[in-house]
Amino acid sequence: MTDQVWPWPRGAATGVGSLPGTDVAEAQRIVLGELPALPHLPELPARGPGADLVGRSAGLLVELPVELYAARWRIAPRPGRDLRRARDLMERDLDQLAEQAEEYAGPIKVQAAGPLTLAAALELPIGGRMLRDPGAVRDLTGSLAEGLRTHVEAVARRVPRASVLLQLDEPSLPAVLAGRIRTESGLGTYRAMETEVARTALRTVVEAVAVPTIVHCCAPDVPLELVRTAGAVAVALDLAQVTDLDPLGEAIDAGLGLLAGAAPALPPPAGRAPTSAQVADQVRQLWDRLGFPRTRLPEQVVVTPACGLAGATPRYVREVLAACRDAGRRLAEE
């Protein structure tokens, strides 16, 4: 473990992905300014359909067009206006990244929904989620793997001195495995997916993109061993959701990195962001409870907010990202 090389600098901090507002240029300036060691490509869901997690990610699919129908994304017979909008928004984001990060040298993170969360969200043309059809899930996984490989290459071309990391957002993963995804009627649930099928889907994407991949899930009961054995370099968690330390300790000991969500994604009632000392304490206390030497902490752990910041105020976003950045530096100096 001591000689493992992590794809981020010591004492790094980053964001989970989403930010408030609709101005991508300003969002990119905030990220590059507040998170210089590990910036990410901001996501701005307030821009509407195609900027949301599902639509943005579905726009990357290859030969599997999507459209909006009754406010839900579904597989479409041919590319149309909704797909063009999603792809245009992504192109604008990448152009802005190229302009502002032209001279950036270091790791940079991009995010997309993972195959299991997409399967639980996207609908088949005949109705029902893709999750209901194992063949459709395999097709979706292959399409996403190819689309993300192309996306990562596009980012690398635009920021040639950077090294790209991919974050797969899988908020629905525990529910997919437990059979908790409800059918459209709300009266039933889809059959639980077998662990090996889920692992194969994640591994297919991880191997296709061929860059360090992080799996993010801010739900309870994240299947950490599945994430690790699928080939992910790290898992991104909300520390407030971690109740059983043993699986996390085993995964970290086996070589899984941790993006530690240690600062609230929304302002507390007092409206003030936590200080860097408070954020560092959250991470340090968890690490000490796991029983690992503190010398490993700033190497293996990246400090982040608990989840995306789309619901926060612009002021809180700057404050909380700065607190995470400075907490990472504190931990690296100890």
Side-chain angles (χ1 to χ4, degrees), residues 201-215:
L202 283 174
R203 186 186 295 122
T204 297
V205 176
V206 170
E207 292 178 350
V209 296
V211 297
T213 300
I214 300 149
V215 174

Side-chain angles (χ1 to χ4, degrees), residues 243-268:
T243 56
D244 187 353
L245 294 183
D246 288 343
L248 180 58
E250 291 168 3
I252 289 174
D253 195 44
L256 193 67
L258 174 63
L259 272 65
L266 294 174

Side-chain angles (χ1 to χ4, degrees), residues 215-233:
V215 174
H216 166 242
C217 182
C218 51
D221 304 322
V222 179
L224 295 166
E225 183 64 11
L226 184 158
V227 169
R228 185 185 70 80
T229 54
V233 70

Side-chain angles (χ1 to χ4, degrees), residues 134-222:
V137 174
R138 287 192 295 272
D139 291 344
L140 173 67
T141 299
S143 175
L144 180 64
E146 177 61 19
L148 285 175
R149 184 188 65 79
T150 302
H151 179 56
V152 165
E153 290 176 351
V155 175
R157 285 195 303 271
R158 283 173 165 85
V159 193
R161 299 174 63 192
S163 55
V164 182
L165 281 63
L166 172 66
Q167 175 181 301
L168 292 176
D169 290 318
E170 284 285 11
S172 299
L173 176 56
V176 167
L177 293 173
R180 297 197 302 263
I181 300 296
R182 291 201 166 276
T183 58
E184 287 60 41
S185 68
L187 301 177
T189 58
Y190 291 104
R191 181 180 302 175
M193 181 179 288
E194 294 181 6
T195 298
E196 190 53 43
V197 174
R199 186 182 357 257
T200 298
L202 283 174
R203 186 186 295 122
T204 297
V205 176
V206 170
E207 292 178 350
V209 296
V211 297
T213 300
I214 300 149
V215 174
H216 166 242
C217 182
C218 51
D221 304 322
V222 179

Side-chain angles (χ1 to χ4, degrees), residues 45-299:
R47 291 182 293 180
D52 58 296
L53 174 64
V54 174
R56 183 178 175 86
S57 303
L60 299 172
L61 296 173
V62 174
E63 297 183 357
L64 205 59
V66 294
E67 65 183 1
L68 272 175
Y69 178 77
R72 296 178 178 175
W73 288 98
R74 70 175 182 182
I75 303 302
R78 64 188 63 84
R81 179 181 57 189
D82 299 324
L83 180 58
R84 286 195 299 273
R85 173 178 168 80
R87 290 178 172 172
D88 286 347
L89 287 170
M90 182 67 80
E91 278 299 307
R92 290 181 216 165
D93 292 357
L94 295 184
D95 288 345
Q96 190 59 230
L97 177 68
E99 179 179 331
Q100 295 200 38
E102 181 181 8
E103 300 301 320
Y104 174 77
I108 192 165
K109 180 170 69 69
V110 297
Q111 307 82 217
L116 307 173
T117 291
L118 273 187
L122 286 174
E123 296 192 353
L124 295 162
I126 59 174
R129 309 292 171 86
M130 298 190 79
L131 191 62
R132 68 185 285 187
D133 183 343
V137 174
R138 287 192 295 272
D139 291 344
L140 173 67
T141 299
S143 175
L144 180 64
E146 177 61 19
L148 285 175
R149 184 188 65 79
T150 302
H151 179 56
V152 165
E153 290 176 351
V155 175
R157 285 195 303 271
R158 283 173 165 85
V159 193
R161 299 174 63 192
S163 55
V164 182
L165 281 63
L166 172 66
Q167 175 181 301
L168 292 176
D169 290 318
E170 284 285 11
S172 299
L173 176 56
V176 167
L177 293 173
R180 297 197 302 263
I181 300 296
R182 291 201 166 276
T183 58
E184 287 60 41
S185 68
L187 301 177
T189 58
Y190 291 104
R191 181 180 302 175
M193 181 179 288
E194 294 181 6
T195 298
E196 190 53 43
V197 174
R199 186 182 357 257
T200 298
L202 283 174
R203 186 186 295 122
T204 297
V205 176
V206 170
E207 292 178 350
V209 296
V211 297
T213 300
I214 300 149
V215 174
H216 166 242
C217 182
C218 51
D221 304 322
V222 179
L224 295 166
E225 183 64 11
L226 184 158
V227 169
R228 185 185 70 80
T229 54
V233 70
V235 65
L237 302 174
D238 175 357
L239 296 191
Q241 298 286 349
V242 178
T243 56
D244 187 353
L245 294 183
D246 288 343
L248 180 58
E250 291 168 3
I252 289 174
D253 195 44
L256 193 67
L258 174 63
L259 272 65
L266 294 174
R272 300 184 62 179
T275 66
S276 61
Q278 291 170 328
V279 175
D281 283 345
Q282 290 288 325
V283 179
R284 193 186 301 107
Q285 288 170 14
L286 173 73
W287 197 256
D288 288 347
R289 290 171 64 197
L290 292 170
F292 295 116
R294 285 193 182 178
T295 52
R296 277 175 55 181
L297 191 162
E299 305 285 347

Side-chain angles (χ1 to χ4, degrees), residues 298-323:
E299 305 285 347
Q300 197 165 354
V301 177
V302 175
V303 183
T304 76
C307 205
L309 299 172
T313 64
R315 176 179 176 180
Y316 183 77
V317 167
R318 289 182 181 274
E319 291 174 347
V320 79
L321 293 182

